[in-house]
């Protein structure tokens, strides 16, 4: 897991080293304390560290995975890359993320799958963070090479 974002008090978006972002309905994610404690011990046993281990390959869906939608097409490699919801004036209709390939990926929140738009040409390295203006259709991205790029959507 590399980042979490929340929208509308109901939707949680996760970005992960398995090369996916997932949408979760937090109302469906309620578990007992005993279940959560057991799951936490399983994570410790796994022992994965993003800083030096290769990115996880696409794994089979976990039996307790109750995610609503999965977004693919971006690369999450040796750093923490954020995935976020578009702002309230869009009704949080889009999900967007940077990528290790130097691009910005935008998905339709309701459709999932592959991106509906890929912004390319502004970065030569990892795009770690992206932010959508809260009032206008402008996205700003920052890459490891130090460039800050604005994109009209």
């Amino acid at each position: 897991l590399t980042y979490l974002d929340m929208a509308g008090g109901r939707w949680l978006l996760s970005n992960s080293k398995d090369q996916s972002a997932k949408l979760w309905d937090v109302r469906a994610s309620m578990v007992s304390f005993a279940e959560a404690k057991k799951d936490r011990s399983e994570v410790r046993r796994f022992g994965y560290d993003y800083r030096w281990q290769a990115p996880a390959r696409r794994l089979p869906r976990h039996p307790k995975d109750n995610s609503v939608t999965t977004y693919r097409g971006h690369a999450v490699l040796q750093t923490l890359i954020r995935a976020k919801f578009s702002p309230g004036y869009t009704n949080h209709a889009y999900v967007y993320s940077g990528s290790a390939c130097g691009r910005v990926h935008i998905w339709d929140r309701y459709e999932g799958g592959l991106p509906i738009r890929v912004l390319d040409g502004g970065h030569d390295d990892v795009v770690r963070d992206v932010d959508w203006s809260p009032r206008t259709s402008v996205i700003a991205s920052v890459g490891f090479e130090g460039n800050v790029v604005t994109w009209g959507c």
Side-chain angles (χ1 to χ4, degrees):
L1 198 59
T2 66
Y3 193 74
L4 294 172
D5 194 22
M6 186 91 180
R10 172 181 174 184
W11 302 107
L12 183 69
L13 178 66
S14 65
N15 206 17
S16 175
K17 297 291 284 189
D18 72 352
Q19 315 307 307
S20 73
K22 290 189 176 205
L23 179 67
W24 307 83
D25 182 342
V26 295
R27 297 173 307 170
S29 299
M30 303 295 183
V31 297
S32 70
F33 180 75
E35 287 177 293
K37 189 174 178 181
K38 180 180 178 246
D39 288 346
R40 192 172 60 227
S41 68
E42 290 296 315
V43 170
R44 261 189 250 119
R45 184 183 58 78
F46 183 57
Y48 177 78
D49 192 318
Y50 74 92
R51 294 171 295 181
W52 56 76
Q53 289 177 285
R57 293 191 175 140
R58 189 177 292 185
L59 301 172
R61 187 175 175 122
H62 189 280
K64 291 185 181 178
D65 180 348
N66 60 359
S67 59
V68 176
T69 307
T70 300
Y71 310 94
R72 297 203 181 274
H74 65 310
V76 182
L77 301 177
Q78 271 104 14
T79 190
L80 304 179
I81 294 179
R82 294 160 177 85
K84 300 177 181 176
F85 289 100
S86 61
Y89 77 87
T90 69
N91 197 28
H92 309 292
Y94 303 98
V95 167
Y96 62 99
S97 177
S99 180
C101 65
R103 298 180 184 115
V104 175
H105 293 75
I106 303 171
W107 296 268
D108 180 309
R109 181 183 100 183
Y110 306 101
E111 295 295 320
L114 295 175
I116 59 169
R117 187 159 180 207
V118 177
L119 307 175
D120 190 12
H123 296 285
D124 298 324
D125 207 343
V126 175
V127 176
R128 183 167 183 209
D129 202 6
V130 184
D131 221 346
W132 194 310
S133 169
R135 293 182 187 85
T136 62
S137 295
V138 174
I139 290 178
S141 58
V142 62
F144 271 10
E145 77 286 318
N147 295 341
V148 176
V149 179
T150 57
W151 313 85
C153 292

